[in-house]
């Protein structure tokens, strides 16, 4: 009986347990299961990408917040900082004079150096007492090393601290924050190793100047010394610091360029296209860089009409002999006008000699800086059919463009015509070489024509493309193509941005007539005022070698 009486209680207990279990399952199904089923763990790749993003952003913020390190570099107080960059390198800001850029390394970090203050007394002492510069070399080298070490330690703390702080704010997990900090440290060390492996001491010899610094060729330095003193990095660094100190000391009066007497300076211009501003730019460069000869690789005109000939009148007054070759926008009428400019200059010179006597004529010849075939500074030489001329100690030969295409109504003959006349120029160069009077520079307008002289001259100059470029051809001839010195002329307003005004100063050894360095000068186009000067050296000139390669 007792057993029968307890059965309902047992059944109720079982039922209650089942009801509780069912309720519990329904509660969990309603409140927990949907969230768990809809939430999927992130893919490992996305988690890694998120960690990298947080690490890089935190490192960047750390560098911005902590800032750089202040250090003394010779007579200057400078602030050094690391900044993210795709190209690396070093940028030195010399306010308000401008900036200079050095291709010192290739890494995702750029070194920015801001010159904040100059010790005027020390700077004036250096200018007045050049003998003190000798001791400045070691001091500057030591200052840079100490400043770089301090910057490295400060930047390491900033990068790791910034990544950890941002990682903790995003993930709220100390382990993930430490992972971000560790990753940032690894990336920083890898960037430092890359910068060290790609460090280029030659970069201090090939700076790019902008602002007022671009107007001071003395900051760039002497071409011969720059080409030979590769093994004295500290000396060149001291030279830059000292020259900048000179600029500060002289304020508005920029230092004069002191040309090396063993260097011939050639100004390469091209594609002026009737831009009258080009003559003022060329005249300024001639005076500033003490140019010995100007070489114009054509397209001085736009349509080659007789009405345009008056545009050529300023050429004899530019201050240096002018060598010109016909472009595809220059007609034979243009070429005859060029020859008449030279004839008029010679007639004026003869009239001056007859009027003032032989003494004044001799003095005028001395001012020209050349003798014999080189002629005075107002000479205009037209190159065509490979006939050589001697100017400023150089032997030049060129060939006028076989095509005259002033507008789209004229069908161009294309590259075959250029190659054909290029072969003719090559034949003339071989004849000169066989006669024992080799040509130093071949001049043409179209690069296709100029390339046919490969192996026959050390240097060939061209234009036409409106894009500056340089290459060493298969047989050793260096081809330099200049941009538009007229900023494209009337074509400057056709694009979204105006074309830049470009010209180059070539430094050639006066004994061997071989290229030893060149400065690329770039000015802002129509409506712009930016100026840059960048120094370049031939890659075959190695440390300690002669600036005149064989």
């Amino acid at each position: 009986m007792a057993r029968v009486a307890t059965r309902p209680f047992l059944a109720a207990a079982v039922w209650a347990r089942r009801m509780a279990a069912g309720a519990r399952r329904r509660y969990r199904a309603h409140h927990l299961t949907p969230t768990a089923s809809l939430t999927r763990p992130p893919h490992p790749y996305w988690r890694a990408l998120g960690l990298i993003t947080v690490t890089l952003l935190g490192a960047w913020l750390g560098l911005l917040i902590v800032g750089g390190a202040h250090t003394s570099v010779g007579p200057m107080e400078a602030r050094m900082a690391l900044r993210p960059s795709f190209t690396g390198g070093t940028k030195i800001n010399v306010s308000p004079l401008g900036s200079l850029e050095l291709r010192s390394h290739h890494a995702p970090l750029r070194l920015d150096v801001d010159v904040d203050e100059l010790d005027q007394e020390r700077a004036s002492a250096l200018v007045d007492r050049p003998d003190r510069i000798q001791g400045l070399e070691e001091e500057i080298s030591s200052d840079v090393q100490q400043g770089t070490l301090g910057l490295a330690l400060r930047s390491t703390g900033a990068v790791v601290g910034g990544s950890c702080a941002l990682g903790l704010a995003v993930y709220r997990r100390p382990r993930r924050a430490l992972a971000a900090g560790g990753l940032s440290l690894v990336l920083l060390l890898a960037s430092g190793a890359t910068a060290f492996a790609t460090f280029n001491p030659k970069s201090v010899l090939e700076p790019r100047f902008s602002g007022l610094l671009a107007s001071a060729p003395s900051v760039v330095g002497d071409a011969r010394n720059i080409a030979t003193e590769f093994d004295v990095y500290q000396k060149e660094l001291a030279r830059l610091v000292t020259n900048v100190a000179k600029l500060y000391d002289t304020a508005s009066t920029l230092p004069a360029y002191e040309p090396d007497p063993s260097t011939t300076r050639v100004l390469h211009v091209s594609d002026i296209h009737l831009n009258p501003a080009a003559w003022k730019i060329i005249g300024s460069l001639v005076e500033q860089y003490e140019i010995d000869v100007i070489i114009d690789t054509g397209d001085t005109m736009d349509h080659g009409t007789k009405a345009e000939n008056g545009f050529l009148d300023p050429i004899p007054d530019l201050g240096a002999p002018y060598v010109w070759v016909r472009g595809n926008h220059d007609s034979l009428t243009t070429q005859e006008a060029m020859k008449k400019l030279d004839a008029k200059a010679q007639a004026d010179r003869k009239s001056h000699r007859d009027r003032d006597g032989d003494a004044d004529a001799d003095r005028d010849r001395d001012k020209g800086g050349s003798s014999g075939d080189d002629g005075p500074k107002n000479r205009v030489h037209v190159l065509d059919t490979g006939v050589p001329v001697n100017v400023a100690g150089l032997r030049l030969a060129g060939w006028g463009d076989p095509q005259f295409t002033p507008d789209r109504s004229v069908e161009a003959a294309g590259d075959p015509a250029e190659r054909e006349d290029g072969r003719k120029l090559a034949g003339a160069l071989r004849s000169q070489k066989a006669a024992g009077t080799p040509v130093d520079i071949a001049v043409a307008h179209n690069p296709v024509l100029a390339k046919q002289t490969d192996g026959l001259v050390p240097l060939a100059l061209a234009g036409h493309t409106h894009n500056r470029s340089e290459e060493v051809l298969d047989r050793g001839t260096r081809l330099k193509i200049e941009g538009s010195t007229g900023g494209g002329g009337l074509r400057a307003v056709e694009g979204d941005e105006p074309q830049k005004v470009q010209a180059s100063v070539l430094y050639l050894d006066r004994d061997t007539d071989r290229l030893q360095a060149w400065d690329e000068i770039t000015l802002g186009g129509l409506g712009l005022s930016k100026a840059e000067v960048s120094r370049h050296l031939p890659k075959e000139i190695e440390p300690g070698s002669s600036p005149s390669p064989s």
Side-chain angles (χ1 to χ4, degrees):
M1 291 292 294
R3 183 179 294 177
V4 173
T6 58
R7 282 179 180 176
F9 295 98
L10 292 173
V14 172
W15 179 81
R17 279 200 303 271
R18 288 178 179 176
M19 290 296 293
R24 193 162 49 247
R25 284 195 301 269
R26 287 192 295 271
Y27 177 85
R28 289 176 177 175
H30 179 72
H31 292 282
L32 301 177
T33 306
T35 304
S37 63
L38 293 176
T39 303
R40 297 180 179 179
H43 195 281
Y45 291 156
W46 288 110
R47 284 187 296 183
L49 181 60
L51 180 62
I52 293 175
T53 302
V54 169
T55 299
L56 295 178
L57 183 58
W60 179 64
L61 291 174
L63 288 176
L64 288 181
I65 294 173
V66 174
H70 288 271
T71 184
S72 298
V73 181
M76 301 178 183
E77 292 294 329
R79 179 178 176 273
M80 306 171 68
L82 291 178
R83 293 289 180 260
S85 171
F86 290 108
T87 58
T90 300
K91 184 174 183 180
I92 303 175
N93 299 305
V94 189
S95 178
L97 299 175
S99 65
L100 62 93
E101 298 180 19
L102 307 175
R103 293 182 291 271
S104 56
H105 63 276
H106 297 283
L109 290 175
R110 184 186 71 198
L111 175 62
D112 284 357
V113 180
D114 295 320
V115 178
D116 296 331
E117 188 179 352
L118 180 76
D119 188 334
Q120 292 288 348
E121 293 184 2
R122 290 197 63 192
S124 300
L126 288 174
V127 175
D128 297 336
R129 295 282 304 277
D131 56 295
R132 298 186 181 182
I133 296 177
Q134 296 180 356
L136 183 65
E137 298 167 10
E138 296 181 359
E139 179 184 346
I140 290 177
S141 178
S142 177
D143 291 343
V144 171
Q145 291 177 1
Q146 293 179 4
T148 304
L149 179 60
L151 177 64
L153 296 176
R154 190 182 183 92
S155 299
T156 300
V159 166
V160 175
S163 298
C164 287
L166 187 61
L168 187 62
V170 172
Y171 297 111
R172 299 184 179 180
R173 296 179 182 178
R175 182 177 298 178
R176 301 300 296 274
L178 291 176
L183 180 58
S184 67
L185 180 60
V186 171
L187 294 177
L188 181 62
L189 293 176
S191 300
T194 303
F196 180 78
T198 59
F199 175 67
N200 177 24
K202 183 179 175 180
S203 63
V204 77
L205 311 178
E206 299 179 303
R208 172 180 293 176
F209 293 89
S210 61
L212 289 177
L213 292 179
S215 302
S218 64
V219 178
V220 180
D222 174 76
R224 172 175 287 269
N225 289 339
I226 282 180
T228 56
E229 294 179 356
F230 289 96
D231 56 336
V232 196
Y233 180 76
Q234 293 91 340
K235 180 181 292 186
E236 294 300 338
L237 189 61
R239 185 209 298 271
L240 284 177
V241 172
T242 305
N243 283 334
V244 171
K246 290 180 181 179
L247 284 177
Y248 266 112
D249 184 69
T250 54
S252 60
T253 305
L254 295 177
Y257 180 55
E258 297 180 1
D260 183 357
S262 64
T263 301
T264 301
R265 294 161 303 283
V266 177
L267 178 62
H268 182 197
V269 301
S270 188
D271 296 85
I272 294 174
H273 286 292
L274 288 179
N275 186 348
W279 299 134
K280 294 183 179 179
I281 295 172
I282 293 174
S284 176
L285 293 175
V286 168
E287 180 180 1
Q288 189 175 1
Y289 283 85
E290 295 286 344
I291 295 298
D292 295 303
V293 57
I294 307 166
I295 298 181
D296 184 348
T297 47
D299 271 8
T300 310
M301 301 301 202
D302 231 10
H303 293 83
T305 62
K306 185 176 181 179
E308 296 173 339
N309 289 345
F311 175 72
L312 307 174
D313 290 344
I315 289 179
D317 299 323
L318 292 176
Y322 201 89
V323 179
W324 179 86
V325 69
R326 187 177 69 251
N328 61 297
H329 283 264
D330 304 317
S331 64
L332 292 175
T333 300
T334 305
Q335 184 162 304
E336 288 302 316
M338 279 287 189
K339 292 180 179 179
K340 289 180 180 179
L341 283 179
D342 185 57
K344 182 177 182 300
Q346 293 189 67
D348 291 343
R349 178 176 172 79
K350 183 177 183 301
S351 174
H352 174 74
R353 182 170 57 247
D354 293 341
R355 182 178 66 253
D356 298 333
D358 292 339
D360 288 345
D362 292 340
R363 183 174 63 252
D364 190 26
R365 183 178 64 249
D366 293 338
K367 289 181 180 180
S370 303
S371 60
D373 294 336
D374 289 357
K377 291 185 176 181
N378 62 350
R379 287 294 305 270
V380 179
H381 303 270
V382 175
L383 299 181
D384 200 7
T385 66
V387 177
V389 298
N390 295 332
V391 187
L394 299 171
R395 192 164 178 81
L396 314 173
W399 201 285
D401 200 297
Q403 305 181 79
F404 177 54
T405 54
D407 51 50
R408 297 177 181 176
S409 64
V410 180
E411 184 177 355
D415 291 349
E418 301 290 343
R419 293 191 184 96
E420 181 180 354
D421 278 23
R423 288 190 287 269
K424 295 177 182 178
L425 175 59
L429 297 177
R430 289 190 188 93
S431 299
Q432 289 295 320
K433 196 171 184 178
T437 55
V439 172
D440 300 312
I441 304 176
V443 185
H445 176 67
N446 196 309
V448 176
L449 194 157
K451 287 182 178 180
Q452 308 307 308
T453 66
D454 187 16
L456 299 172
V457 288
L459 179 64
L461 303 181
H464 183 62
T465 64
H466 291 204
N467 289 310
R468 176 192 284 143
S469 64
E470 177 266 338
E471 64 175 311
V472 178
L473 303 178
D474 294 338
R475 298 178 182 176
T477 294
R478 184 181 299 276
L479 173 62
K480 293 190 61 60
I481 303 173
E482 191 54 77
S484 174
T485 310
L490 297 177
R491 294 166 177 77
V493 297
E494 292 180 353
D496 296 335
E497 295 183 359
Q499 288 189 25
K500 295 181 178 179
V501 175
Q502 297 181 326
S504 296
V505 178
L506 315 179
Y507 302 95
L508 291 89
D509 187 274
R510 194 176 293 275
D511 297 329
T512 63
D513 297 329
R514 298 301 179 97
L515 185 68
Q516 58 184 8
W518 68 90
D519 291 338
E520 293 181 351
I521 300 166
T522 304
L523 307 176
L526 189 65
L528 302 179
S529 58
K530 183 178 180 180
E532 290 183 354
V533 178
S534 56
R535 164 61 56 84
H536 298 270
L537 304 173
K539 288 183 172 57
E540 64 268 20
I541 299 183
E542 297 297 334
S545 66
S546 169
S548 304
S550 59

